[in-house]
Amino acid sequence: MSWRSLFKFELKAIFSNPSILFTVFGGVLIYSFLYPLPYIHQLPRQQQIVVVNLDQSELGRKLERMVDVTPQVMITARAESIDAAKAMVNQGKVQGMLVIPKDFQRDVLLGKSPTLAYGGDAAYFLVYGTIAEGLATVAGTLVAEVKVARMVMTGSDMALAAERYTAVKLNAQPVFNPTMGYVNYVVPAVFVLILHQTLLIAVGVLGGGQNEYLRAGKIGYWVHYPARRVVLVRGIVFSLIYLPLVMYYFGFSFSYYHISRLASITDLALLTLPFLLAVIFLGMILGQLIPRCELATVVVLLSSLPLVFSTGFIWPVEMIPAPISLLAQLAPSTPAINAFLRINQMGADFNQVLPLWGQLWGQAVVYGVIAARLMLKVKRENKLPVAR
């Protein structure tokens, strides 16, 4: 009943279970390449749009040609009415639409301000943003050309007119996502979630399998040790297994995909330790509650999408209903994702994530106590000796 023997039993139980090994090593490694693959080009390009040209003038056709040569969008269809264009967008035939109003050229030449209408499928934020950016850039370029031409006609120098056609010039510089792409936007957070889910499944499978073992009338090694010792040793063993995987994600994978890394190794280690322990102890709770080991995978996978959208990095946290947001705080992935993003992608000081760090440690302590109590409860229900 020594600590050393318990470590040996735990390691043997983990490394002799193919399901756990595939989840831990196969899942982490496969997802490190599989998940970012669709986003490897960083930005969506050549989004298909439909044009409704109600003017049919020379300037309107010039605008169409300018739109078609932009890298963001390409014209693949033309419609006679706005309703027809909307129907094509709703049916998924195109991702956006542009409406050139009637008397567009006349209003431009008279110095009036015609209204160009454009839109896109907002179900995908970056797709919608790409379409809006491309069409807005083209419209701004055309307006600039008309203004410069008008200034030249009134006697202004060409070079001076090109510099002074507008009083304000926008110089946009992205701060936290320099490429403005999918990889830097979503992959750092999802990698943390992958570590969370695979670790949760692995610990849950181990606990669920031990429950099956007890229900079959057999007595496993964990029965002969105090529950708190089993919880502690399992936490240490899985933490040691996952530390290299965390380093692989935050090291090689981030470098491979050119994702910014602003945090120091010390800060990352300080966040990683309570994160892993909280997930392990939560996985032990899950393992004690399920009757069969395969249910761990089902339960965890069903929670993946809700966790992604309730964390706050994809959908603004202010727009998430308060009950859902509070419920998401129970998952270690929520404070962990927000903390890792702030220190590693946004350059925050560790002092600025202290509340999230404290939340992770609080989860680790509470879930560890609950896991130990559930283990004692299972022993009593199966009329097994309770080790002290």
Side-chain angles (χ1 to χ4, degrees):
M1 293 181 63
S2 65
W3 286 87
R4 184 177 179 180
S5 60
L6 180 55
F7 272 103
K8 288 183 177 180
F9 282 129
E10 284 288 310
L11 288 170
K12 183 178 179 181
I14 293 170
F15 284 94
S16 63
N17 191 318
S19 298
I20 295 177
L21 292 179
F22 181 77
T23 299
V24 172
F25 297 104
V28 171
L29 292 175
I30 291 172
Y31 269 106
S32 68
F33 294 101
L34 182 63
Y35 185 83
L37 188 61
Y39 314 122
I40 200 68
H41 296 295
Q42 291 277 8
L43 290 175
R45 285 290 184 260
Q46 295 296 303
Q47 299 301 300
Q48 299 179 350
I49 67 167
V50 56
V51 172
V52 182
N53 192 341
L54 302 178
D55 189 45
Q56 295 297 332
S57 61
E58 181 182 349
L59 193 62
R61 289 190 290 272
K62 180 180 179 180
L63 178 62
E64 285 191 41
R65 292 193 296 272
M66 293 175 66
V67 168
D68 207 25
V69 297
T70 58
Q72 291 94 339
V73 296
M74 60 183 298
I75 299 174
T76 57
R78 289 174 173 79
E80 298 297 326
S81 67
I82 296 177
D83 290 337
K86 287 182 178 178
M88 294 182 68
V89 174
N90 292 334
Q91 293 168 7
K93 295 180 179 179
V94 293
Q95 286 76 51
M97 57 182 289
L98 168 67
V99 179
I100 302 174
K102 187 174 176 58
D103 300 325
F104 171 70
Q105 178 171 300
R106 185 197 67 180
D107 291 344
V108 170
L109 295 178
L110 290 176
K112 297 181 180 180
S113 299
T115 302
L116 284 173
Y118 51 84
D121 184 0
Y124 302 96
F125 292 154
L126 287 182
V127 170
Y128 174 80
T130 298
I131 294 173
E133 177 193 9
L135 296 179
T137 301
V138 170
T141 303
L142 183 62
V143 169
E145 287 184 6
V146 172
K147 287 184 176 180
V148 170
R150 187 177 292 116
M151 292 172 70
V152 171
M153 291 176 64
T154 58
S156 298
D157 179 71
M158 171 68 79
L160 190 62
E163 287 291 327
R164 298 184 177 179
Y165 71 89
T166 180
V168 178
K169 287 189 176 181
L170 179 64
N171 183 18
Q173 179 64 41
V175 180
F176 303 130
N177 186 356
T179 63
M180 292 297 289
Y182 272 112
V183 171
N184 284 280
Y185 161 58
V186 74
V187 167
V190 173
F191 272 2
V192 177
L193 185 66
I194 291 171
L195 292 169
H196 179 278
Q197 299 297 78
T198 54
L199 180 54
L200 202 59
I201 290 173
V203 181
V205 166
L206 180 59
Q210 291 176 348
N211 282 342
E212 289 186 73
Y213 198 79
L214 290 176
R215 285 183 172 83
K218 302 175 183 178
I219 297 179
Y221 67 90
W222 62 94
V223 173
H224 304 290
Y225 294 89
R228 61 181 179 276
R229 187 183 298 185
V230 175
V231 170
L232 182 58
V233 169
R234 192 164 297 177
I236 294 173
V237 170
F238 271 105
S239 294
L240 292 175
I241 292 173
Y242 258 77
L243 278 174
L245 299 177
V246 172
M247 290 188 287
Y248 166 73
Y249 265 12
F250 289 153
F252 169 79
S253 294
F254 274 35
S255 297
Y256 184 79
Y257 295 112
H258 306 290
I259 299 172
S260 60
R261 294 177 299 173
L262 303 177
S264 66
I265 295 177
T266 303
D267 290 347
L268 288 176
L270 286 174
L271 272 178
T272 299
L273 180 59
F275 166 59
L276 293 179
L277 290 176
V279 178
I280 292 166
F281 297 151
L282 181 60
M284 293 186 69
I285 293 173
L286 175 64
Q288 296 300 317
L289 295 176
I290 57 176
R292 302 190 308 276
C293 62
E294 63 269 16
L295 290 177
T297 304
V298 177
V299 172
V300 174
L301 290 182
L302 287 176
S303 69
S304 297
L305 279 179
L307 286 177
V308 166
F309 285 98
S310 59
T311 301
F313 74 95
I314 288 181
W315 192 260
V317 68
E318 293 81 9
M319 301 296 292
I320 301 173
I324 295 178
S325 184
L326 288 173
L327 188 62
Q329 298 303 318
L330 297 176
S333 60
T334 301
I337 287 173
N338 285 294
F340 280 118
L341 288 181
R342 291 179 190 182
I343 67 169
N344 210 21
Q345 271 61 58
M346 299 181 182
D349 293 329
F350 194 81
N351 291 335
Q352 294 174 290
V353 298
L354 278 178
L356 298 171
W357 185 65
Q359 182 178 345
L360 286 170
W361 273 117
Q363 289 176 338
V365 172
V366 172
Y367 293 154
V369 171
I370 295 175
R373 290 186 176 276
L374 285 176
M375 190 169 289
L376 287 173
K377 182 181 176 182
V378 170
K379 288 183 179 181
R380 292 191 180 102
E381 288 176 350
N382 288 274
K383 298 179 180 180
L384 299 172
V386 178
R388 299 291 182 183

